[in-house]
Amino acid sequence: MRKWLSPTLNIMVGVLMVVAFVLAFFWVPPAREFAERYGNGHIAKIIFVHVPLAIVSFIGFIAAAGFGLAYLARRNVRWDDISYALVEVGWLYAVLATITGAYFSKLAWGEWWSWDPRQTTMFLVLLTYSAYLLVRGSIEDAERKASVSAVYAVLGAIASVFLYWVIPYLPTVMASSAHPSGIIARGGLDFSYRLVLRLSLLGFLLVFVQLVKLRATLSHLERKRLELSLKETEA
Amino acid sequence: MTAVSEALPFFLVWLVTWIALMAYLWRLESKLRELEGDGKT
């Protein structure tokens, strides 16, 4: 097992995700409302991947802001490592949520991208955090890099709250959106969907935690190596 | 057969997502191994 990660947690994640997949594939029935709307009730199962990815990416961006604030308060570089790891892995989750959403769009509406309000807000989230990664990568000085990243993470989190949870739920926006979140919100999916969605959400969250731990450890080691090589140069 | 082909999109989404996450994990691990190797030499 991977020595940088908890083996027990790895096994738990593996079992959880296999159980979630088997239940989703073999036990969960096709969703009636999706079958009526889109002609294939099985495509509703894409929510078992798409929704957890989107929710966990949001959690990651909010947590990144929290660790960013902790860095600004204490100036401990460990908080910066974690904040950056949360953004990078959160960005990956957001990209995957966008791709899986686009595939659903293709299956349900016949086109990969239609600038539906949900797609547009997710696109803005991706732009926001892609810019974070570019800005961070362009700053040489470690202290300045950490401070700018922390402030950006806080501003990004404020934007994320609006882009994930406020704008898509405005009545006028919801009326113009074809996104099926309304079906889920009003309980249009049966118990099996709710159960597997929770299992899957937990699984994706645990994977996220493992990836963040690994990414933060990598940043920590990279920093140590840089400090060592600077010392060697000075000597 | 119809049910299997109708469920295929979900299988593809699951598969592609896991391949992407595992590829990222392997990339991180290989970088960590590289750094550890540097530290030992």
Side-chain angles (χ1 to χ4, degrees), chain A:
Chain A
M1 241 346 134
R2 309 173 196 297
K3 61 185 166 177
W4 296 286
L5 300 173
S6 154
T8 318
L9 195 56
N10 273 346
I11 294 166
M12 272 174 59
V13 172
V15 171
L16 189 64
M17 295 318 281
V18 169
V19 168
F21 175 77
V22 169
L23 287 176
F25 201 78
F26 296 104
W27 178 59
V28 176
R32 190 177 44 81
E33 205 164 335
F34 280 69
E36 285 165 6
R37 272 200 199 186
Y38 311 122
N40 179 1
H42 286 278
I43 62 170
K45 296 178 184 182
I46 290 175
I47 67 164
F48 299 138
V49 181
H50 173 72
V51 173
L53 286 170
I55 291 176
V56 175
S57 70
F58 174 76
I59 293 170
F61 295 144
I62 297 298
F67 282 99
L69 283 172
Y71 171 79
L72 291 173
R74 297 283 171 90
R75 299 284 161 180
N76 181 343
V77 288
R78 196 74 190 128
W79 300 137
D80 173 57
D81 290 339
I82 298 171
S83 179
Y84 170 60
L86 283 160
V87 170
E88 189 177 288
V89 185
W91 180 86
L92 174 65
Y93 268 52
V95 167
L96 291 171
T98 307
I99 294 169
T100 53
Y103 184 48
F104 178 87
S105 168
K106 173 69 181 163
L107 295 167
W109 311 322
E111 50 189 351
W112 290 91
W113 198 266
S114 54
W115 294 105
D116 182 90
R118 276 282 183 161
Q119 290 180 324
T120 308
T121 50
M122 206 56 195
F123 178 71
L124 291 174
V125 167
L126 283 180
L127 274 187
T128 304
Y129 286 98
S130 298
Y132 168 100
L133 297 172
L134 287 173
V135 167
R136 187 179 168 95
S138 68
I139 302 171
E140 295 260 325
D141 180 66
E143 206 170 303
R144 199 170 122 76
K145 182 191 286 229
S147 301
V148 170
S149 300
V151 173
Y152 197 123
V154 173
L155 296 175
I158 295 167
S160 293
V161 170
F162 283 90
L163 293 169
Y164 277 87
W165 300 109
V166 178
I167 297 169
Y169 290 97
L170 293 173
T172 48
V173 175
M174 278 195 88
S176 65
S177 174
H179 192 274
S181 55
I183 300 174
I184 303 165
R186 68 167 183 276
L189 294 173
D190 67 24
F191 168 75
S192 62
Y193 276 86
R194 293 197 296 276
L195 175 73
V196 176
L197 184 58
R198 279 172 193 146
L199 285 179
S200 184
L201 179 60
L202 181 62
F204 277 105
L205 183 63
L206 292 175
V207 172
F208 183 83
V209 169
Q210 296 284 61
L211 290 174
V212 167
K213 274 164 66 180
L214 210 57
R215 186 65 190 89
T217 307
L218 181 61
S219 295
H220 176 68
L221 291 177
E222 281 173 340
R223 179 179 281 112
K224 271 173 70 179
R225 189 175 74 166
L226 189 67
E227 284 169 2
L228 200 69
S229 64
L230 282 173
K231 271 182 195 165
E232 281 171 2
T233 314
E234 281 169 14

